[in-house]
């Protein structure tokens, strides 16, 4: 009886260890970014910045996306975090996302930063797959009437 119990515990520990090792080694990205650019690259404060994305998705994973704009004076504007469950097709995809530039943003060279956190296995809740994408653009002074 004791031998069967010990064998069962050893098998269970072995399977759990193998699964944990797989999760630790799972550092391949869920997506690769092929393109991220502002179209057009000039926008006024309070206007809409359109960012075109092209990417290849390898697997479906829940993700959090933190969005930030740094204006012409490098002032940081946090635009919030978007959470997405499993979505989209595996393979190549593209879309254009409109982003509201804050009214108080200063003119000059700016950047839109996206910090992507993918959670493809339970260990990624502690140590997510992380990717940062910076999209340069220019905030221009509002047109005078």
């Amino acid at each position: 009886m004791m031998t069967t119990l010990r064998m069962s515990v050893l098998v269970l520990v072995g399977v759990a260890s193998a699964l944990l090792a797989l999760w630790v080694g799972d550092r391949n990205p869920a997506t690769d970014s092929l393109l991220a650019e502002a179209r057009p690259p000039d926008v006024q404060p309070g206007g809409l910045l359109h960012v075109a994305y092209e990417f290849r998705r390898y697997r479906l994973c829940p993700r959090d996306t933190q969005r930030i704009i740094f204006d012409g004076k490098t002032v940081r504007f946090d635009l919030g975090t978007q959470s997405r469950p499993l979505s989209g097709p595996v393979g190549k995809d593209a879309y254009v996302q409109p982003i509201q530039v804050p009214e108080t943003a200063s003119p000059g060279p700016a950047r839109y930063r996206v910090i992507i956190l993918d959670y493809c296995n339970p260990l990624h809740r502690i140590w997510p797959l992380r990717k940062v994408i910076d999209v340069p653009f220019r905030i221009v002074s509002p047109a005078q009437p």
Side-chain angles (χ1 to χ4, degrees):
M1 176 71 176
M2 198 55 146
T3 306
T4 304
L5 180 60
R6 284 184 185 168
M7 287 301 292
S8 298
V9 168
L10 283 175
V11 168
L12 184 61
V13 167
V15 169
S17 297
L19 185 58
L20 185 60
L22 281 173
W23 288 346
V24 167
D26 181 9
R27 300 308 299 166
N28 292 330
T31 60
D32 275 336
S33 298
L34 307 173
L35 171 78
E37 70 180 7
R39 292 184 182 166
D42 297 331
V43 65
Q44 294 180 358
L48 282 179
L49 169 67
H50 291 87
V51 177
Y53 293 100
E54 289 181 21
F55 57 95
R56 182 171 309 283
R57 184 179 290 118
Y58 298 108
R59 54 189 171 158
L60 299 175
C61 303
R63 81 172 16 174
D64 290 334
T65 305
Q66 300 169 355
R67 304 171 315 125
I68 304 160
I69 286 181
F70 295 94
D71 72 2
K73 293 184 179 176
T74 65
V75 173
R76 178 184 173 132
F77 294 88
D78 287 314
L79 305 179
T81 300
Q82 296 175 332
S83 295
R84 290 198 177 141
L86 307 173
S87 66
V90 172
K92 194 171 179 182
D93 201 357
Y95 68 94
V96 175
Q97 180 179 24
I99 297 106
Q100 183 83 36
V101 175
E103 298 255 352
T104 57
S106 297
R111 65 193 148 109
Y112 173 65
R113 175 172 285 173
V114 179
I115 302 170
I116 299 169
L117 304 173
D118 285 318
Y119 308 104
C120 298
N121 71 47
L123 189 58
H124 290 159
R125 289 291 167 189
I126 299 166
W127 185 27
L129 300 173
R130 186 176 191 271
K131 180 187 302 190
V132 177
I133 300 171
D134 279 328
V135 179
F137 69 102
R138 178 173 293 283
I139 300 173
V140 295
S141 297
Q144 300 298 324

